Amino acid sequence: LIATFPNIYISTTVQYIDLSINQSAINLQSIMVFEKDLNLDATELRLGLPGSSEESLRISNKRALPDMNDDSGVAVAKKCDQETAPPTKAQVVGWPPIRSYRKNSLQTKKTEAETGGMYVKVSMDGAPYLRKIDLKVYKGYPELFKALEDMFKFKVGKYSEREGYNGSEFVPTYEDKDGDWMLVGDVPWEMFINACKRLRIVRGSEARGLGCVV
Amino acid sequence: MPKRLASSLSYEVLEHVFSFIQSDKDRNVVSAVLCKSWYEIERWCRRKIFVGNCYAVSPKMVIRRFPQVRSIELKGKPHFADFNLVPDGWGGYVLPWITEMAGAYPWLDEIRLKRMVVTDESLELIAKSFKDFKVLVLASCEGFSTDGLAAIAASCKNLRELDLRESEVDDTSVHWLSHFPETYTSMVSLNISCLGSGEVSFSALERLVSRCPNLRSLKLNRAVPLDKTANILRLAPRLVEFSACTYSAELRSDVFSNLAGAFSNCKELRSLSGFWDVVPDYLPAIYSVCSRLTSLNLSYATILSPDLIKLVSHCPSLQRLLVLDYIEDSGLEALASNCKDLQELRVFPSDPFDAEPNASLTEQGLVAVSLGCPKLQSVLYFCRRMSNAALVTIAQSHPNLNRFRLCIIEPNTADYLTGEPLDVGFGAIVEHCKDLIRLSLSGLLTDCVFEYIGKYAKKLEMLSVAFAGDSDLGLHHVLSGCESLRKLEIRDCPFGDKALLTNAAKLETMQSLWMSSCSVSFEACKLLSQKMPRLNVEVIDERGPPDSRPENCTVDKLYIYRSVAGPRFDMPPFVWTKDE
């Protein structure tokens, strides 16, 4: 609004460290080397609230889902029963920085959408994202499979009671109310949608030996 | 300019010359720098003023300096108020301004406010005091109800623009739209997209639209159903901007063809937004206008990538796109190949609080747009992973970037390829993009990135920092290096007293500094406040008096801004200054 303020000299009793750039460059380099040597564990999670201590904020390589960096194409070593959800975090106020207006819009949409539906999460080995689908909108397995095929770009293949999904590269499985992982398609549809807690599309090789209802 | 020459130009000539100088910055130079007569002339003919911080100056001072203002823009709360970091009741009240201006500026015709508390009393005062009132913009404001809107509607015969973007309005069940008299026909731009469903009467809206032939921008709220949308479009075929409304669940061919027909009538439509609850089957209804669209806001639409790709492939003239991460990398690649005029891209997260990503959107999408869209200047991008390599590619391919805001959702996320901090990547951004005026950082960052910023970001005006840095050195680099810095907002960084006090003088050259959950002590705040009388140093702490806590306890939130108005009189109990 108004022209520049004159520089003001401050004399205080506080001791200042020498903040010259040259010295700081050397210090920075040594800090960078130090951090590399630390080799922070890729899966180390700290749950301290922000600001509580510097260390609690030093999380490196977060959220690198193992599947994404898996170059060799070997099926991921995660077993079905090992797939645990990450620990719930205390939500940090104001983070991520999304305006209240937008947050409220998302919230309304979520509650409107989720009442009356049977929403389950769907994941696929190798895909770095999840989907949520409403099982109620599908009339049976053929429709469900078509939707999954469109969503994740794969083919379910032929199902037989004896051999399961023989010859398919990917196989749909689900976790039932007891926590067991089953092949999708082995029980009547109505029973399935009531029992299904979440879906996972696994690589064909993984699906062998999965519990089936006899 | 030699003194002789300046005084030989008559008042009328100079005033005419000044009228061509529109930008605030240039007008300030004219009035402040050159000579007394120019100062005098400029202040009498200044019609438009912008006050970036309503507490930097008092209304009386503004009125004394500029006696003939017609248009004012005021901003209140700091930017981080958008993310709930500023407690309710902090301030930003507009009533004192309206009260003063009601007497001093009877010809005031434009008021634009952002992040301010506006009461019905203020709105009623505006309606009563300014006979020729034309423009009211309330962006992200709160504190008023439909009663206040009714007062505006009833009294402002020449109102051209009423824009309530993203404000919070209380519904008092008053049918305020009906308060526009039947003789009122001046509306040019109406934005009521923030209103709830109870607050708008369709018939009043239709009557209003049908009698305002100059209506060019119409942004309705969510609750207007599709058949009403078609009706309204048919009543206003000359619209340039339109915010579409709720789409019904199932495709009905009669509704569809009615809607498609209505849209095809609108030959001047350039900007579309809204799209809440849209069902993809209805999207083709807008295809007839897509080729001319320059701005598209789909950031409330849960349309998935395949439908988004179809849509953007119909929009070759697109300059501005706001969208959710449902667009995915594949959608952004399609955008990059179809929309060569793209200047601004904003990608928001559909599920920001879920630990797992629910859409395949990564840094690759941004890189694709960067490489494919040569005119890209402004980026706001939420994602879950980033690499230095991607940032370097973006920086090198886009030296003309002027706004770059990246939000990696998980704090402290490192380069996913190398495990390293993202210092080098952001360093490349500031080094190559020499015209960068706004930057937001995220991810794992050390003091190093701030060294780059201090060294290269010479035109940077606004910087947002969260969960970054190692020590005071980081803050010092920014304050000592960024010559054009006006606004700095920081949260959850280990920056403290030393950097702040060393750079106290710099703070007077800036508009404001926000620091929350950092390492600043109350002692340092008091010291700063004592030494810098032209800074207001506000400690915002709801836990109680800051000096009742141990010496080494840090303040919760700190807001420092320069002011010629002195300490403000409307501070709530949780704001502490040195005089407490």
Side-chain angles (χ1 to χ4, degrees):
Chain A
L1 193 66
I2 308 190
T4 55
F5 294 79
N7 276 332
I8 296 177
Y9 175 73
I10 297 174
S11 84
T12 69
T13 54
V14 179
Q15 281 282 75
Y16 299 135
I17 49 172
D18 177 4
L19 294 172
S20 68
I21 297 294
N22 285 334
Q23 183 169 358
S24 69
I26 298 166
N27 289 338
L28 284 168
Q29 271 179 4
S30 55
I31 289 170
M32 301 275 280
V33 166
F34 180 62
E35 278 192 346
K36 278 203 186 99
D37 290 342
L38 278 181
N39 192 23
L40 296 168
D41 194 317
T43 59
E44 181 180 358
L45 290 174
R46 298 297 194 106
L47 294 178
L49 286 173
S52 54
S53 93
E54 283 188 27
E55 278 151 14
S56 69
L57 299 177
R58 284 285 147 262
I59 308 162
S60 83
N61 233 351
K62 281 293 313 293
R63 297 261 136 252
L65 299 175
D67 300 353
M68 286 181 339
N69 293 334
D70 194 323
D71 293 332
S72 62
V74 169
V76 109
K78 273 202 301 195
K79 301 222 174 20
C80 288
D81 58 354
Q82 209 185 319
E83 187 175 61
T84 47
T88 25
K89 303 182 126 30
Q91 237 181 61
V92 177
V93 172
W95 191 267
I98 296 173
R99 285 200 187 159
S100 326
Y101 182 74
R102 179 171 293 284
K103 261 200 293 205
N104 294 341
S105 269
L106 287 175
Q107 280 310 106
T108 337
K109 222 195 293 279
K110 276 185 109 147
T111 32
E112 275 173 9
E114 283 174 351
T115 45
M118 292 176 118
Y119 281 83
V120 296
K121 285 191 179 174
V122 189
S123 62
M124 179 161 111
D125 290 352
Y129 58 96
L130 292 186
R131 277 279 143 74
K132 271 195 198 135
I133 58 170
D134 180 359
L135 290 178
K136 273 216 168 126
V137 317
Y138 307 108
K139 298 196 180 59
Y141 287 118
E143 279 196 10
L144 173 65
F145 291 154
K146 174 86 180 33
L148 292 177
E149 285 174 345
D150 283 341
M151 244 181 242
F152 289 95
K153 317 267 181 296
F154 74 106
K155 282 273 172 257
V156 171
K158 273 210 137 0
Y159 171 76
S160 79
E161 264 212 42
R162 222 160 46 89
E163 293 175 351
Y165 290 92
N166 211 5
S168 318
E169 201 201 337
F170 284 101
V171 166
T173 67
Y174 70 99
E175 184 183 11
D176 70 5
K177 286 196 160 44
D178 301 326
D180 297 323
W181 285 89
M182 318 284 274
L183 277 181
V184 173
D186 54 357
V187 299
W189 175 253
E190 283 300 322
M191 200 188 284
F192 162 71
I193 60 174
N194 284 310
C196 174
K197 273 184 12 192
R198 61 202 308 220
L199 284 164
R200 186 174 158 210
I201 301 163
V202 303
R203 295 182 207 269
S205 47
E206 289 275 301
R208 293 196 211 303
L210 269 185
C212 304
V213 173
V214 168
Chain B
M1 186 172 217
K3 228 171 172 177
R4 274 177 285 122
L5 198 56
S7 59
S8 71
L9 289 172
S10 71
Y11 169 90
E12 288 82 14
V13 171
L14 277 173
E15 187 182 344
H16 183 69
V17 167
F18 292 166
S19 70
F20 290 102
I21 304 172
Q22 299 286 343
S23 107
D24 290 315
K25 277 198 192 120
D26 294 338
R27 290 297 291 244
N28 289 345
V29 169
V30 164
S31 70
V33 173
L34 287 163
C35 64
K36 195 148 191 292
S37 65
W38 281 45
Y39 174 91
E40 278 303 312
I41 294 167
E42 205 278 328
R43 68 182 269 262
W44 281 96
C45 66
R46 180 86 81 112
R47 294 286 175 262
K48 200 167 171 175
I49 46 173
F50 169 74
V51 180
N53 174 4
C54 64
Y55 291 119
V57 68
S58 75
K60 281 195 165 69
M61 290 168 129
V62 169
I63 290 167
R64 208 166 43 229
R65 171 88 189 267
F66 300 111
Q68 303 251 3
V69 163
R70 300 281 168 94
S71 161
I72 185 161
E73 183 174 351
L74 290 171
K75 293 191 181 179
K77 300 185 204 178
H79 175 235
F80 273 0
D82 283 352
F83 316 127
N84 298 333
L85 287 176
V86 177
D88 276 340
W90 172 82
Y93 306 104
V94 81
L95 187 58
W97 286 85
I98 308 291
T99 312
E100 294 291 336
M101 293 191 302
Y105 296 149
W107 298 112
L108 189 74
D109 54 24
E110 298 185 356
I111 295 177
R112 294 178 169 84
L113 306 176
K114 188 166 187 182
R115 276 185 223 107
M116 293 197 79
V117 178
V118 180
T119 55
D120 287 342
E121 190 187 345
S122 311
L123 292 177
E124 283 152 19
L125 197 51
I126 291 172
K128 234 178 19 187
S129 318
F130 307 116
K131 299 302 167 206
D132 196 31
F133 198 67
K134 295 197 175 76
V135 172
L136 183 63
V137 177
L138 303 176
S140 303
C141 294
E142 50 164 352
F144 62 102
S145 76
T146 41
D147 285 347
L149 295 178
I152 297 283
S155 309
C156 302
K157 301 180 188 46
N158 293 322
L159 192 71
R160 280 195 330 230
E161 188 175 335
L162 178 62
D163 183 340
L164 307 175
R165 60 181 80 159
E166 300 189 6
S167 291
E168 264 179 51
V169 185
D170 291 329
D171 180 11
T172 58
S173 305
V174 155
H175 293 298
W176 66 278
L177 263 185
S178 316
H179 286 243
F180 281 108
E182 290 299 319
T183 49
Y184 169 79
T185 58
S186 339
M187 192 64 82
V188 174
S189 170
L190 180 64
N191 179 351
I192 50 175
S193 52
C194 63
L195 296 183
S197 49
E199 292 157 12
V200 174
S201 139
F202 299 138
S203 49
L205 183 62
E206 280 178 2
R207 283 199 308 277
L208 183 66
V209 171
S210 62
R211 64 179 189 271
C212 293
N214 298 322
L215 193 65
R216 292 291 171 269
S217 173
L218 183 59
K219 295 183 177 176
L220 301 175
N221 67 336
R222 266 175 110 135
V224 182
L226 274 184
D227 50 343
K228 299 286 183 203
T229 303
N231 288 355
I232 285 171
L233 279 175
R234 287 189 196 280
L235 290 171
R238 298 201 61 197
L239 282 179
V240 175
E241 279 191 329
F242 184 62
S243 187
C245 325
T246 304
Y247 282 59
S248 59
E250 293 150 10
L251 181 63
R252 282 176 41 199
S253 55
D254 53 335
V255 174
F256 178 91
S257 41
N258 190 16
L259 194 63
F263 270 108
S264 64
N265 257 355
C266 298
K267 308 282 185 215
E268 295 176 55
L269 209 49
R270 295 291 174 272
S271 165
L272 280 181
S273 54
F275 294 99
W276 298 282
D277 310 318
V278 66
V279 161
D281 291 332
Y282 275 108
L283 283 176
I286 66 167
Y287 282 176
S288 59
V289 300
C290 280
S291 62
R292 290 185 291 268
L293 282 183
T294 56
S295 170
L296 194 51
N297 183 351
L298 296 164
S299 63
Y300 296 99
T302 49
I303 322 174
L304 296 183
S305 187
D307 295 304
L308 283 169
I309 292 176
K310 267 193 236 143
L311 185 54
V312 303
S313 62
H314 281 83
C315 306
S317 315
L318 212 55
Q319 294 173 10
R320 185 169 184 258
L321 177 67
L322 281 66
V323 73
L324 288 174
D325 56 8
Y326 289 132
I327 193 168
E328 301 191 337
D329 291 340
S330 53
L332 290 175
E333 279 153 27
L335 183 70
S337 40
N338 280 307
C339 304
K340 295 303 185 186
D341 283 342
L342 195 73
Q343 293 174 16
E344 181 177 350
L345 175 68
R346 299 193 188 198
V347 180
F348 296 95
S350 51
D351 216 344
F353 305 110
D354 207 319
E356 313 267 357
N358 70 333
S360 183
L361 179 99
T362 68
E363 83 287 0
Q364 293 304 319
L366 184 57
V367 171
V369 173
S370 227
L371 292 173
C373 302
K375 299 187 191 173
L376 189 69
Q377 286 182 328
S378 172
V379 170
L380 169 60
Y381 200 77
F382 283 80
C383 60
R384 284 177 156 92
R385 75 178 202 197
M386 187 49 63
S387 66
N388 283 309
L391 286 171
V392 170
T393 305
I394 294 166
Q396 288 176 341
S397 61
H398 269 288
N400 55 338
L401 270 180
N402 57 34
R403 287 168 176 82
F404 188 74
R405 293 191 277 166
L406 180 68
C407 179
I408 305 168
I409 289 177
E410 187 63 37
N412 290 276
T413 305
D415 177 330
Y416 78 97
L417 293 171
T418 64
E420 290 186 351
L422 292 170
D423 300 335
V424 166
F426 279 105
I429 295 278
V430 292
E431 186 183 350
H432 293 277
C433 306
K434 302 213 184 294
D435 293 326
L436 199 67
I437 56 175
R438 187 164 181 185
L439 177 65
S440 297
L441 306 173
S442 58
L444 181 65
L445 296 165
T446 70
D447 285 344
C448 213
V449 73
F450 299 108
E451 193 182 351
Y452 293 133
I453 293 173
K455 182 173 176 187
Y456 293 114
K458 294 307 182 187
K459 293 213 180 143
L460 193 67
E461 294 179 17
M462 183 167 177
L463 178 65
S464 308
V465 185
F467 306 102
D470 307 306
S471 72
D472 276 46
L473 208 50
L475 180 55
H476 173 72
H477 284 311
V478 171
L479 290 177
S480 57
C482 296
E483 292 161 4
S484 311
L485 197 63
R486 286 191 306 113
K487 293 192 271 196
L488 179 57
E489 46 186 27
I490 302 171
R491 62 164 294 171
D492 295 281
C493 296
F495 300 150
D497 301 347
K498 295 187 187 72
L500 206 58
L501 292 171
T502 312
N503 293 283
K506 170 72 176 175
L507 298 178
E508 264 187 1
T509 69
M510 289 166 51
Q511 179 177 308
S512 64
L513 168 64
W514 169 279
M515 290 178 77
S516 56
S517 305
C518 294
S519 311
V520 181
S521 70
F522 191 49
E523 282 308 307
C525 296
K526 283 195 287 193
L527 193 60
L528 187 64
S529 192
Q530 273 159 22
K531 294 295 178 185
M532 311 291 291
R534 278 179 294 201
L535 285 183
N536 281 1
V537 178
E538 294 189 14
V539 172
I540 301 168
D541 206 326
E542 289 174 286
R543 300 172 294 180
D547 48 14
S548 68
R549 276 188 293 285
E551 276 269 329
N552 55 0
C553 197
T554 56
V555 302
D556 184 21
K557 296 165 183 166
L558 176 60
Y559 185 47
I560 301 172
Y561 53 91
R562 67 178 174 191
S563 177
V564 289
R568 56 186 177 111
F569 303 114
D570 58 3
M571 281 187 284
F574 53 79
V575 172
W576 311 91
T577 59
K578 70 178 190 308
D579 302 316
E580 305 301 313

